[in-house]
Amino acid sequence: MHELLLCPPDFYGIEYAPRDVRLGLVEASQNKIGNPVDQILLFCFHYDPATGKYGAVAMNIVRGAGAGFVLICGAFLAIFLRRDLKHDRNSLRRVG
């Protein structure tokens, strides 16, 4: 569980990036607040205590890109197979 302390923006020279504050609030609320874009961002970015910021997690980004690729290829395959079946049916009607 992460603790989040909200301070005025220039409290002792500390400034928080708006994205980090937003993701921190969504993560601390156990995803009860936020929108689907925040959920995707939290899938790809995780808090790094060493830097004090949210950083990209490469493997999750690769997984997301792979899933997107499979969905796009599947859609194209379905479209082309449907066209091919339609073309075959029309050819059979002309012959028969």
Side-chain angles (χ1 to χ4, degrees):
M1 182 68 75
H2 297 287
E3 294 182 21
L4 181 66
L5 176 64
L6 294 176
C7 300
D10 289 324
F11 186 68
Y12 293 115
I14 299 172
E15 291 188 32
Y16 298 101
R19 182 188 73 177
D20 291 347
V21 172
R22 181 174 182 86
L23 291 178
L25 288 170
V26 172
E27 191 172 15
S29 72
Q30 297 177 345
N31 301 324
K32 292 179 183 171
I33 62 172
N35 55 33
V37 174
D38 293 330
Q39 304 303 319
I40 293 169
L41 286 174
L42 280 174
F43 180 73
C44 296
F45 292 90
H46 289 285
Y47 183 75
D48 182 9
T51 63
K53 296 182 179 183
Y54 279 83
V57 177
M59 198 59 205
N60 285 347
I61 293 172
V62 170
R63 285 182 187 132
F69 180 77
V70 168
L71 288 175
I72 290 171
C73 287
F76 278 115
L77 185 62
I79 290 169
F80 288 124
L81 285 176
R82 185 174 160 193
R83 285 184 184 175
D84 191 43
L85 285 175
K86 222 182 235 187
H87 177 69
D88 288 347
R89 286 183 193 158
N90 289 338
S91 296
L92 288 174
R93 287 183 187 160
R94 287 186 214 149
V95 173

Coordinates of all heavy atoms in Angstrom, one line a residue:
M1 N 0.8 -1.2 0.0 CA 0.0 0.0 0.0 C 0.9 1.2 0.0 O 1.8 1.3 0.8 CB -0.9 0.0 1.2 CG -1.9 1.1 1.4 SD -3.2 1.1 0.1 CE -4.2 -0.2 0.8
H2 N 0.6 2.2 -0.9 CA 1.4 3.4 -1.0 C 0.7 4.5 -0.1 O -0.5 4.6 -0.1 CB 1.5 3.9 -2.4 CG 2.2 2.9 -3.3 ND1 3.5 2.7 -3.3 CD2 1.7 2.1 -4.3 CE1 3.9 1.9 -4.2 NE2 2.8 1.4 -4.8
E3 N 1.5 5.3 0.5 CA 1.0 6.4 1.2 C 1.3 7.7 0.3 O 2.3 7.8 -0.3 CB 1.7 6.6 2.5 CG 1.4 5.5 3.5 CD 2.1 5.7 4.8 OE1 2.4 6.8 5.1 OE2 2.2 4.7 5.5
L4 N 0.3 8.6 0.3 CA 0.4 9.7 -0.5 C 0.2 11.0 0.4 O -0.8 11.1 1.1 CB -0.6 9.7 -1.6 CG -0.6 10.9 -2.6 CD1 0.7 10.9 -3.4 CD2 -1.7 10.9 -3.5
L5 N 1.2 11.8 0.4 CA 1.2 13.1 1.2 C 1.1 14.2 0.2 O 1.9 14.4 -0.7 CB 2.4 13.2 2.0 CG 2.6 14.5 2.8 CD1 1.4 14.6 3.9 CD2 3.9 14.5 3.5
L6 N 0.0 14.9 0.3 CA -0.2 16.1 -0.6 C 0.3 17.3 0.0 O -0.1 17.6 1.2 CB -1.7 16.2 -1.0 CG -2.2 15.1 -1.9 CD1 -3.7 15.3 -2.1 CD2 -1.5 15.0 -3.2
C7 N 1.2 18.0 -0.6 CA 1.7 19.3 -0.1 C 1.5 20.4 -1.1 O 1.3 20.1 -2.3 CB 3.2 19.1 0.1 SG 3.6 17.8 1.3
P8 N 1.6 21.6 -0.7 CA 1.6 22.7 -1.7 C 2.7 22.5 -2.7 O 3.7 21.9 -2.4 CB 1.8 24.0 -0.9 CG 1.5 23.6 0.5 CD 1.7 22.1 0.6
P9 N 2.5 22.9 -4.0 CA 3.4 22.6 -5.0 C 4.9 23.0 -4.8 O 5.8 22.3 -5.1 CB 2.9 23.3 -6.2 CG 1.4 23.5 -6.0 CD 1.3 23.6 -4.5
D10 N 5.1 24.1 -4.1 CA 6.5 24.6 -3.9 C 6.9 24.4 -2.4 O 7.7 25.2 -1.9 CB 6.7 26.0 -4.4 CG 6.6 26.1 -5.9 OD1 7.1 25.1 -6.5 OD2 6.1 27.1 -6.4
F11 N 6.4 23.5 -1.7 CA 6.7 23.2 -0.3 C 8.2 22.7 -0.3 O 8.5 21.6 -0.7 CB 5.8 22.2 0.2 CG 5.9 22.0 1.7 CD1 5.6 23.1 2.6 CD2 6.3 20.8 2.2 CE1 5.7 22.9 4.0 CE2 6.5 20.6 3.6 CZ 6.1 21.7 4.4
Y12 N 9.1 23.5 0.2 CA 10.5 23.2 0.3 C 11.1 22.8 -1.1 O 11.9 22.0 -1.1 CB 10.7 22.1 1.3 CG 10.4 22.5 2.7 CD1 9.4 21.9 3.4 CD2 11.2 23.5 3.4 CE1 9.1 22.3 4.7 CE2 10.9 23.9 4.7 CZ 9.9 23.3 5.3 OH 9.6 23.6 6.6
G13 N 10.6 23.4 -2.1 CA 11.2 23.2 -3.5 C 10.7 21.9 -4.1 O 11.3 21.5 -5.1
I14 N 9.8 21.2 -3.5 CA 9.3 19.9 -4.1 C 8.2 20.1 -5.0 O 7.2 20.8 -4.7 CB 8.9 18.9 -2.9 CG1 10.0 18.6 -2.0 CG2 8.3 17.6 -3.5 CD1 9.6 17.9 -0.8
E15 N 8.3 19.6 -6.2 CA 7.2 19.7 -7.2 C 6.8 18.3 -7.6 O 7.7 17.5 -7.9 CB 7.6 20.6 -8.4 CG 7.8 22.0 -8.0 CD 8.0 22.8 -9.3 OE1 7.5 22.5 -10.4 OE2 8.8 23.8 -9.2
Y16 N 5.6 18.1 -7.7 CA 5.1 16.8 -8.1 C 4.5 16.9 -9.5 O 3.8 17.8 -9.9 CB 3.9 16.3 -7.2 CG 4.4 16.1 -5.8 CD1 4.1 17.0 -4.8 CD2 5.1 14.9 -5.4 CE1 4.5 16.9 -3.5 CE2 5.5 14.8 -4.1 CZ 5.2 15.7 -3.2 OH 5.6 15.5 -1.9
A17 N 4.9 15.9 -10.4 CA 4.4 15.9 -11.7 C 2.9 15.5 -11.7 O 2.5 14.6 -10.9 CB 5.1 14.9 -12.6
P18 N 2.1 16.2 -12.4 CA 0.6 15.9 -12.4 C 0.3 14.5 -12.7 O -0.6 13.9 -12.1 CB 0.1 16.9 -13.5 CG 1.0 18.0 -13.6 CD 2.4 17.3 -13.3
R19 N 1.0 13.9 -13.6 CA 0.8 12.5 -14.0 C 1.1 11.6 -12.8 O 0.3 10.6 -12.5 CB 1.6 12.0 -15.2 CG 1.4 10.6 -15.6 CD 2.3 10.1 -16.6 NE 3.6 9.9 -15.9 CZ 4.7 9.4 -16.5 NH1 4.7 9.2 -17.8 NH2 5.8 9.3 -15.9
D20 N 2.2 11.9 -12.0 CA 2.5 11.0 -10.9 C 1.5 11.2 -9.8 O 1.1 10.2 -9.1 CB 3.9 11.4 -10.4 CG 5.0 11.0 -11.3 OD1 4.7 10.2 -12.2 OD2 6.1 11.5 -11.1
V21 N 1.0 12.4 -9.6 CA -0.1 12.6 -8.5 C -1.3 11.8 -8.9 O -1.9 11.1 -8.1 CB -0.4 14.1 -8.3 CG1 -1.5 14.3 -7.4 CG2 0.9 14.8 -7.8
R22 N -1.7 11.9 -10.2 CA -3.0 11.3 -10.6 C -2.8 9.7 -10.5 O -3.7 9.1 -10.0 CB -3.3 11.7 -12.1 CG -4.5 11.0 -12.6 CD -4.9 11.5 -14.0 NE -6.1 11.0 -14.4 CZ -7.3 11.4 -14.2 NH1 -7.4 12.5 -13.5 NH2 -8.4 10.9 -14.6
L23 N -1.7 9.2 -11.0 CA -1.5 7.7 -10.9 C -1.4 7.3 -9.5 O -1.9 6.2 -9.1 CB -0.3 7.3 -11.7 CG -0.4 7.5 -13.2 CD1 0.9 7.1 -13.9 CD2 -1.5 6.6 -13.8
G24 N -0.8 8.1 -8.6 CA -0.7 7.8 -7.2 C -2.0 7.7 -6.5 O -2.3 6.8 -5.7
L25 N -2.9 8.6 -6.9 CA -4.3 8.6 -6.3 C -5.1 7.4 -6.8 O -5.8 6.8 -6.0 CB -5.0 9.9 -6.7 CG -4.5 11.2 -5.9 CD1 -5.2 12.4 -6.6 CD2 -4.8 11.1 -4.5
V26 N -5.0 7.1 -8.1 CA -5.7 6.0 -8.6 C -5.2 4.7 -8.0 O -6.0 3.8 -7.6 CB -5.6 5.9 -10.2 CG1 -6.2 4.6 -10.7 CG2 -6.3 7.1 -10.8
E27 N -3.9 4.5 -7.9 CA -3.3 3.3 -7.3 C -3.6 3.2 -5.8 O -4.0 2.1 -5.3 CB -1.8 3.3 -7.5 CG -1.2 2.0 -7.2 CD 0.3 1.9 -7.6 OE1 0.9 3.0 -7.8 OE2 0.8 0.8 -7.6
A28 N -3.6 4.3 -5.1 CA -3.9 4.3 -3.7 C -5.4 4.0 -3.4 O -5.7 3.4 -2.4 CB -3.5 5.6 -3.0
S29 N -6.2 4.3 -4.3 CA -7.7 4.1 -4.2 C -8.0 2.6 -4.6 O -9.2 2.3 -4.6 CB -8.5 5.0 -5.0 OG -8.4 4.7 -6.4
Q30 N -7.0 1.8 -5.0 CA -7.2 0.5 -5.4 C -8.2 0.5 -6.6 O -9.1 -0.3 -6.7 CB -7.8 -0.4 -4.3 CG -6.8 -0.6 -3.2 CD -7.3 -1.4 -2.1 OE1 -8.5 -1.7 -2.0 NE2 -6.4 -1.8 -1.2
N31 N -7.9 1.4 -7.6 CA -8.7 1.6 -8.8 C -10.2 1.9 -8.7 O -10.9 1.6 -9.5 CB -8.5 0.3 -9.7 CG -7.0 0.1 -10.0 OD1 -6.3 1.0 -10.2 ND2 -6.6 -1.2 -10.0
K32 N -10.5 2.5 -7.5 CA -11.9 2.9 -7.4 C -12.2 4.2 -8.0 O -13.4 4.5 -8.3 CB -12.3 2.9 -5.9 CG -12.3 1.6 -5.2 CD -12.6 1.7 -3.8 CE -12.5 0.3 -3.1 NZ -12.6 0.3 -1.7
I33 N -11.2 5.0 -8.3 CA -11.3 6.2 -9.0 C -10.5 6.1 -10.3 O -9.7 5.2 -10.4 CB -10.9 7.5 -8.2 CG1 -9.4 7.4 -7.8 CG2 -11.8 7.6 -6.9 CD1 -8.9 8.7 -7.2
G34 N -10.7 7.0 -11.2 CA -10.0 7.0 -12.4 C -10.8 6.5 -13.6 O -11.9 6.1 -13.4
N35 N -10.2 6.6 -14.8 CA -10.9 6.1 -15.9 C -10.1 5.0 -16.6 O -9.0 4.6 -16.1 CB -11.1 7.3 -16.9 CG -9.8 8.0 -17.3 OD1 -8.8 7.3 -17.3 ND2 -9.9 9.3 -17.5
P36 N -10.6 4.4 -17.7 CA -9.9 3.3 -18.3 C -8.5 3.6 -18.8 O -7.6 2.8 -18.8 CB -10.8 2.9 -19.5 CG -12.2 3.3 -19.1 CD -12.0 4.6 -18.2
V37 N -8.3 4.9 -19.2 CA -7.0 5.3 -19.6 C -6.0 5.2 -18.4 O -4.8 4.8 -18.6 CB -7.0 6.7 -20.2 CG1 -5.6 7.2 -20.5 CG2 -7.8 6.8 -21.4
D38 N -6.4 5.6 -17.2 CA -5.6 5.5 -16.0 C -5.3 4.0 -15.8 O -4.1 3.7 -15.3 CB -6.3 6.0 -14.8 CG -6.5 7.5 -14.9 OD1 -5.6 8.2 -15.6 OD2 -7.5 8.1 -14.3
Q39 N -6.2 3.1 -16.0 CA -5.9 1.7 -15.8 C -4.9 1.2 -16.7 O -4.0 0.4 -16.3 CB -7.2 0.8 -16.0 CG -8.4 1.3 -15.1 CD -8.1 1.3 -13.7 OE1 -7.5 0.3 -13.2 NE2 -8.6 2.3 -13.0
I40 N -4.9 1.6 -18.0 CA -3.9 1.2 -19.0 C -2.5 1.8 -18.6 O -1.5 1.1 -18.6 CB -4.3 1.7 -20.4 CG1 -5.6 0.9 -20.8 CG2 -3.2 1.5 -21.4 CD1 -6.2 1.4 -22.1
L41 N -2.5 3.1 -18.1 CA -1.3 3.7 -17.7 C -0.7 2.9 -16.5 O 0.5 2.7 -16.5 CB -1.5 5.2 -17.4 CG -1.7 6.1 -18.6 CD1 -2.0 7.5 -18.1 CD2 -0.4 6.1 -19.4
L42 N -1.5 2.5 -15.6 CA -1.0 1.8 -14.4 C -0.5 0.4 -14.8 O 0.3 -0.2 -14.1 CB -2.1 1.7 -13.3 CG -2.2 3.0 -12.5 CD1 -3.4 2.9 -11.5 CD2 -0.9 3.3 -11.7
F43 N -1.0 -0.1 -15.9 CA -0.6 -1.4 -16.3 C 0.9 -1.3 -16.9 O 1.7 -2.2 -16.7 CB -1.5 -2.0 -17.4 CG -1.1 -3.3 -18.0 CD1 -1.2 -4.5 -17.2 CD2 -0.5 -3.4 -19.2 CE1 -0.8 -5.7 -17.7 CE2 -0.1 -4.6 -19.7 CZ -0.2 -5.8 -19.0
C44 N 1.1 -0.1 -17.6 CA 2.4 0.1 -18.2 C 3.4 0.8 -17.3 O 4.6 0.8 -17.6 CB 2.2 0.9 -19.5 SG 1.2 0.0 -20.7
F45 N 3.0 1.5 -16.3 CA 3.9 2.3 -15.5 C 3.7 1.9 -14.0 O 2.6 1.6 -13.5 CB 3.5 3.8 -15.5 CG 3.8 4.4 -16.9 CD1 2.9 4.4 -17.9 CD2 5.1 5.0 -17.1 CE1 3.2 5.0 -19.1 CE2 5.4 5.5 -18.4 CZ 4.4 5.5 -19.4
H46 N 4.8 1.7 -13.3 CA 4.8 1.4 -11.9 C 5.7 2.3 -11.1 O 6.7 2.9 -11.7 CB 5.3 -0.1 -11.7 CG 4.3 -1.1 -12.2 ND1 3.2 -1.4 -11.5 CD2 4.4 -1.9 -13.3 CE1 2.5 -2.4 -12.2 NE2 3.2 -2.6 -13.3
Y47 N 5.3 2.5 -9.9 CA 6.1 3.5 -9.0 C 7.5 2.9 -8.7 O 7.6 1.8 -8.3 CB 5.3 3.8 -7.7 CG 6.0 4.8 -6.9 CD1 5.9 6.1 -7.2 CD2 6.6 4.4 -5.7 CE1 6.5 7.1 -6.4 CE2 7.2 5.3 -4.9 CZ 7.2 6.6 -5.2 OH 7.8 7.6 -4.5
D48 N 8.5 3.7 -8.9 CA 9.8 3.3 -8.6 C 10.3 4.1 -7.3 O 10.5 5.3 -7.5 CB 10.8 3.6 -9.7 CG 12.2 3.2 -9.5 OD1 12.4 2.5 -8.4 OD2 13.1 3.5 -10.3
P49 N 10.4 3.5 -6.2 CA 10.8 4.3 -5.0 C 12.2 4.9 -5.1 O 12.4 5.9 -4.4 CB 10.7 3.2 -3.8 CG 10.1 2.0 -4.4 CD 10.1 2.1 -5.9
A50 N 13.0 4.3 -5.9 CA 14.4 4.9 -6.0 C 14.4 6.2 -6.6 O 15.1 7.1 -6.2 CB 15.3 3.9 -6.8
T51 N 13.6 6.4 -7.6 CA 13.5 7.7 -8.3 C 12.4 8.6 -7.8 O 12.4 9.8 -8.0 CB 13.3 7.5 -9.8 OG1 12.1 6.9 -10.1 CG2 14.5 6.7 -10.4
G52 N 11.4 8.0 -7.2 CA 10.2 8.7 -6.7 C 9.3 9.1 -7.8 O 8.5 10.0 -7.6
K53 N 9.3 8.3 -8.9 CA 8.4 8.6 -10.0 C 7.9 7.3 -10.6 O 8.3 6.3 -10.3 CB 9.2 9.4 -11.1 CG 9.7 10.7 -10.7 CD 10.4 11.4 -11.9 CE 10.9 12.8 -11.5 NZ 11.5 13.5 -12.6
Y54 N 6.9 7.5 -11.4 CA 6.3 6.3 -12.1 C 7.2 6.1 -13.4 O 7.4 7.1 -14.1 CB 4.9 6.6 -12.5 CG 3.9 6.3 -11.4 CD1 3.7 7.2 -10.4 CD2 3.3 5.0 -11.2 CE1 2.9 7.0 -9.3 CE2 2.5 4.8 -10.2 CZ 2.3 5.7 -9.2 OH 1.4 5.5 -8.2
G55 N 7.6 4.9 -13.6 CA 8.4 4.6 -14.8 C 7.8 3.5 -15.6 O 7.0 2.7 -15.1
A56 N 8.1 3.4 -16.9 CA 7.6 2.4 -17.8 C 8.1 1.0 -17.4 O 9.3 0.8 -17.0 CB 8.0 2.7 -19.2
V57 N 7.3 0.0 -17.5 CA 7.7 -1.4 -17.3 C 7.6 -2.0 -18.7 O 6.6 -2.2 -19.3 CB 6.7 -2.1 -16.3 CG1 7.0 -3.6 -16.2 CG2 6.7 -1.4 -15.0
A58 N 8.8 -2.3 -19.2 CA 8.9 -2.7 -20.6 C 8.2 -3.9 -20.9 O 7.5 -4.0 -22.0 CB 10.4 -2.8 -20.9
M59 N 8.2 -4.9 -20.1 CA 7.5 -6.2 -20.4 C 6.0 -6.0 -20.6 O 5.4 -6.6 -21.4 CB 7.8 -7.2 -19.3 CG 7.5 -8.6 -19.8 SD 8.5 -9.0 -21.2 CE 7.6 -10.2 -22.0
N60 N 5.4 -5.2 -19.7 CA 3.9 -4.9 -19.8 C 3.6 -4.1 -21.1 O 2.6 -4.4 -21.7 CB 3.4 -4.2 -18.6 CG 3.3 -5.0 -17.4 OD1 3.4 -6.3 -17.5 ND2 3.1 -4.4 -16.3
I61 N 4.5 -3.2 -21.5 CA 4.3 -2.5 -22.8 C 4.4 -3.5 -23.9 O 3.6 -3.4 -24.9 CB 5.3 -1.4 -22.9 CG1 5.0 -0.3 -21.8 CG2 5.3 -0.8 -24.3 CD1 6.1 0.8 -21.7
V62 N 5.3 -4.4 -23.9 CA 5.5 -5.4 -25.0 C 4.3 -6.3 -25.0 O 3.7 -6.6 -26.1 CB 6.8 -6.2 -24.8 CG1 6.8 -7.4 -25.7 CG2 8.0 -5.3 -25.0
R63 N 3.7 -6.7 -23.9 CA 2.5 -7.5 -23.8 C 1.4 -6.8 -24.4 O 0.6 -7.4 -25.2 CB 2.2 -7.9 -22.4 CG 3.1 -9.0 -21.8 CD 2.7 -9.3 -20.4 NE 3.6 -10.2 -19.8 CZ 4.2 -10.1 -18.6 NH1 3.8 -9.1 -17.9 NH2 5.0 -11.0 -18.2
G64 N 1.2 -5.5 -24.1 CA 0.1 -4.7 -24.6 C 0.2 -4.6 -26.1 O -0.8 -4.7 -26.9
A65 N 1.4 -4.3 -26.6 CA 1.6 -4.2 -28.1 C 1.4 -5.5 -28.8 O 0.8 -5.5 -29.9 CB 3.0 -3.7 -28.4
G66 N 1.8 -6.6 -28.2 CA 1.5 -7.9 -28.8 C 0.0 -8.2 -28.8 O -0.4 -8.8 -29.8
A67 N -0.7 -7.9 -27.8 CA -2.1 -8.1 -27.8 C -2.8 -7.3 -28.9 O -3.7 -7.8 -29.6 CB -2.7 -7.8 -26.4
G68 N -2.4 -6.1 -29.0 CA -2.9 -5.2 -30.0 C -2.7 -5.7 -31.4 O -3.5 -5.7 -32.3
F69 N -1.5 -6.2 -31.6 CA -1.1 -6.8 -32.9 C -1.9 -8.0 -33.3 O -2.4 -8.2 -34.4 CB 0.4 -7.2 -32.9 CG 0.9 -7.8 -34.2 CD1 1.1 -7.0 -35.3 CD2 1.1 -9.2 -34.2 CE1 1.6 -7.6 -36.5 CE2 1.6 -9.7 -35.4 CZ 1.8 -8.9 -36.5
V70 N -2.2 -8.9 -32.3 CA -3.0 -10.1 -32.5 C -4.4 -9.7 -32.8 O -5.0 -10.3 -33.7 CB -2.9 -11.0 -31.3 CG1 -4.0 -12.1 -31.3 CG2 -1.5 -11.6 -31.1
L71 N -5.0 -8.7 -32.2 CA -6.3 -8.3 -32.4 C -6.4 -7.7 -33.8 O -7.4 -8.0 -34.6 CB -6.8 -7.2 -31.4 CG -7.0 -7.7 -30.0 CD1 -7.3 -6.6 -29.0 CD2 -8.2 -8.7 -30.0
I72 N -5.5 -6.9 -34.2 CA -5.5 -6.3 -35.6 C -5.4 -7.3 -36.6 O -6.1 -7.4 -37.6 CB -4.5 -5.2 -35.7 CG1 -4.8 -4.0 -34.8 CG2 -4.3 -4.7 -37.2 CD1 -3.8 -2.9 -34.7
C73 N -4.4 -8.2 -36.5 CA -4.2 -9.3 -37.5 C -5.5 -10.2 -37.5 O -5.9 -10.6 -38.6 CB -3.0 -10.2 -37.1 SG -1.5 -9.3 -37.4
G74 N -6.1 -10.5 -36.4 CA -7.3 -11.3 -36.4 C -8.4 -10.7 -37.1 O -9.2 -11.3 -37.8
A75 N -8.6 -9.4 -36.9 CA -9.6 -8.6 -37.6 C -9.4 -8.7 -39.1 O -10.4 -8.9 -39.9 CB -9.7 -7.2 -37.1
F76 N -8.2 -8.4 -39.6 CA -7.9 -8.5 -41.0 C -8.1 -9.9 -41.6 O -8.7 -10.1 -42.6 CB -6.5 -8.0 -41.3 CG -6.3 -6.6 -41.4 CD1 -5.5 -5.9 -40.5 CD2 -6.9 -5.8 -42.4 CE1 -5.4 -4.5 -40.5 CE2 -6.8 -4.5 -42.5 CZ -6.0 -3.8 -41.5
L77 N -7.7 -10.9 -40.8 CA -7.9 -12.3 -41.3 C -9.4 -12.6 -41.4 O -9.8 -13.2 -42.4 CB -7.2 -13.2 -40.3 CG -7.3 -14.7 -40.6 CD1 -6.5 -14.9 -41.9 CD2 -6.6 -15.5 -39.5
A78 N -10.2 -12.2 -40.4 CA -11.6 -12.4 -40.5 C -12.3 -11.7 -41.7 O -13.1 -12.3 -42.4 CB -12.3 -11.9 -39.2
I79 N -11.9 -10.5 -42.0 CA -12.4 -9.7 -43.1 C -12.0 -10.4 -44.4 O -12.9 -10.6 -45.3 CB -11.9 -8.3 -43.1 CG1 -12.5 -7.5 -41.9 CG2 -12.2 -7.6 -44.4 CD1 -11.8 -6.2 -41.7
F80 N -10.8 -10.8 -44.6 CA -10.4 -11.5 -45.8 C -11.0 -12.9 -46.0 O -11.4 -13.2 -47.1 CB -8.9 -11.5 -45.9 CG -8.2 -10.2 -46.2 CD1 -7.3 -9.7 -45.3 CD2 -8.6 -9.4 -47.2 CE1 -6.7 -8.5 -45.5 CE2 -8.1 -8.2 -47.5 CZ -7.1 -7.7 -46.6
L81 N -11.1 -13.6 -44.9 CA -11.8 -14.9 -45.0 C -13.2 -14.8 -45.4 O -13.8 -15.6 -46.2 CB -11.6 -15.7 -43.7 CG -10.3 -16.3 -43.5 CD1 -10.3 -17.0 -42.1 CD2 -9.9 -17.3 -44.5
R82 N -13.9 -13.8 -44.9 CA -15.3 -13.6 -45.2 C -15.5 -13.2 -46.7 O -16.4 -13.7 -47.3 CB -15.8 -12.4 -44.3 CG -17.3 -12.2 -44.4 CD -17.8 -11.2 -43.4 NE -19.0 -10.6 -43.9 CZ -19.6 -9.6 -43.4 NH1 -19.0 -9.0 -42.4 NH2 -20.7 -9.1 -43.8
R83 N -14.6 -12.3 -47.1 CA -14.6 -11.9 -48.6 C -14.4 -13.1 -49.5 O -15.0 -13.3 -50.5 CB -13.6 -10.8 -48.8 CG -14.0 -9.5 -48.3 CD -13.0 -8.5 -48.7 NE -13.3 -7.2 -48.2 CZ -12.6 -6.1 -48.3 NH1 -11.4 -6.2 -48.9 NH2 -12.9 -5.0 -47.8
D84 N -13.4 -14.0 -49.1 CA -13.1 -15.1 -49.9 C -14.2 -16.1 -49.9 O -14.6 -16.6 -51.0 CB -11.8 -15.8 -49.3 CG -11.3 -16.9 -50.2 OD1 -11.2 -16.6 -51.4 OD2 -10.9 -17.9 -49.7
L85 N -14.9 -16.3 -48.8 CA -16.1 -17.2 -48.8 C -17.2 -16.7 -49.6 O -17.9 -17.4 -50.4 CB -16.6 -17.4 -47.4 CG -15.7 -18.4 -46.5 CD1 -16.2 -18.4 -45.1 CD2 -15.7 -19.8 -47.1
K86 N -17.4 -15.4 -49.6 CA -18.4 -14.7 -50.4 C -18.1 -14.9 -51.9 O -19.0 -15.2 -52.7 CB -18.5 -13.2 -50.1 CG -19.9 -12.7 -50.0 CD -19.8 -11.2 -49.7 CE -20.6 -10.9 -48.4 NZ -20.7 -9.5 -48.2
H87 N -16.9 -14.7 -52.2 CA -16.4 -14.9 -53.6 C -16.6 -16.3 -54.1 O -17.1 -16.6 -55.2 CB -14.9 -14.5 -53.8 CG -14.4 -14.6 -55.1 ND1 -14.8 -13.9 -56.2 CD2 -13.5 -15.5 -55.6 CE1 -14.1 -14.3 -57.3 NE2 -13.3 -15.3 -57.0
D88 N -16.3 -17.3 -53.3 CA -16.5 -18.7 -53.6 C -17.9 -19.1 -53.8 O -18.3 -19.8 -54.7 CB -15.8 -19.6 -52.5 CG -14.3 -19.6 -52.5 OD1 -13.7 -19.1 -53.5 OD2 -13.7 -20.1 -51.5
R89 N -18.8 -18.6 -53.0 CA -20.2 -18.8 -53.1 C -20.8 -18.2 -54.4 O -21.6 -18.9 -55.1 CB -21.0 -18.2 -52.0 CG -20.8 -19.0 -50.7 CD -21.7 -18.3 -49.6 NE -21.3 -18.9 -48.3 CZ -21.5 -18.3 -47.1 NH1 -22.1 -17.1 -47.1 NH2 -21.1 -18.8 -46.0
N90 N -20.3 -17.0 -54.8 CA -20.8 -16.4 -56.0 C -20.3 -17.2 -57.2 O -21.0 -17.4 -58.2 CB -20.3 -15.0 -56.1 CG -21.0 -14.1 -55.2 OD1 -22.2 -14.4 -54.8 ND2 -20.5 -12.9 -54.8
S91 N -19.0 -17.7 -57.1 CA -18.5 -18.6 -58.2 C -19.3 -19.8 -58.4 O -19.5 -20.3 -59.5 CB -17.0 -18.9 -57.9 OG -16.3 -17.7 -57.9
L92 N -19.7 -20.5 -57.3 CA -20.4 -21.7 -57.4 C -21.8 -21.5 -58.0 O -22.4 -22.3 -58.7 CB -20.6 -22.4 -56.0 CG -19.3 -23.0 -55.4 CD1 -19.5 -23.5 -54.0 CD2 -18.8 -24.2 -56.3
R93 N -22.4 -20.4 -57.7 CA -23.8 -20.1 -58.2 C -23.7 -19.9 -59.7 O -24.6 -20.3 -60.4 CB -24.3 -18.8 -57.6 CG -24.7 -19.0 -56.2 CD -25.3 -17.7 -55.6 NE -25.6 -17.9 -54.2 CZ -25.7 -17.0 -53.3 NH1 -25.7 -15.7 -53.7 NH2 -26.0 -17.2 -52.1
R94 N -22.7 -19.3 -60.2 CA -22.5 -19.1 -61.7 C -22.3 -20.4 -62.4 O -22.8 -20.6 -63.5 CB -21.3 -18.2 -62.0 CG -21.6 -16.7 -61.6 CD -20.5 -15.8 -62.1 NE -20.4 -14.8 -61.1 CZ -19.3 -14.2 -60.7 NH1 -18.1 -14.6 -61.3 NH2 -19.2 -13.2 -59.8
V95 N -21.5 -21.3 -61.8 CA -21.2 -22.6 -62.4 C -22.4 -23.5 -62.3 O -22.8 -24.2 -63.3 CB -20.0 -23.2 -61.7 CG1 -19.8 -24.7 -62.2 CG2 -18.8 -22.4 -61.9
G96 N -23.1 -23.5 -61.2 CA -24.2 -24.5 -60.9 C -25.5 -24.0 -61.5 O -26.2 -24.2 -62.3

